[in-house]
Amino acid sequence: MRTLFYSAAFVLLCTGTVFAGAIATTPETVPALAPWGMIGSAAALGVSGLYFIIRRHK
């Protein structure tokens, strides 16, 4: 198990040096969903906060 863990860590740490000499390609345009993620996170946090407030008063 320890050998598997060390092997996985070694592979993850060495991938940066392997691809360091790779030719850089231009990134493709992807629609940004960050604002919707922030709105969803705020809504989830608000709903969970209301749940705990209501649960405390019962």
Side-chain angles (χ1 to χ4, degrees):
M1 186 68 177
R2 188 185 319 173
T3 307
L4 178 66
F5 175 72
Y6 286 145
S7 301
F10 180 74
V11 168
L12 290 175
L13 290 174
C14 290
T15 54
T17 57
V18 170
F19 292 113
I23 299 171
T25 59
T26 58
E28 296 196 26
T29 58
V30 178
L33 295 177
W36 289 107
M38 290 174 22
I39 291 170
S41 297
L45 188 60
V47 168
S48 64
L50 287 174
Y51 170 74
F52 283 111
I53 288 172
I54 291 171
R55 194 175 117 198
R56 184 193 307 173
H57 288 293
K58 284 187 176 181

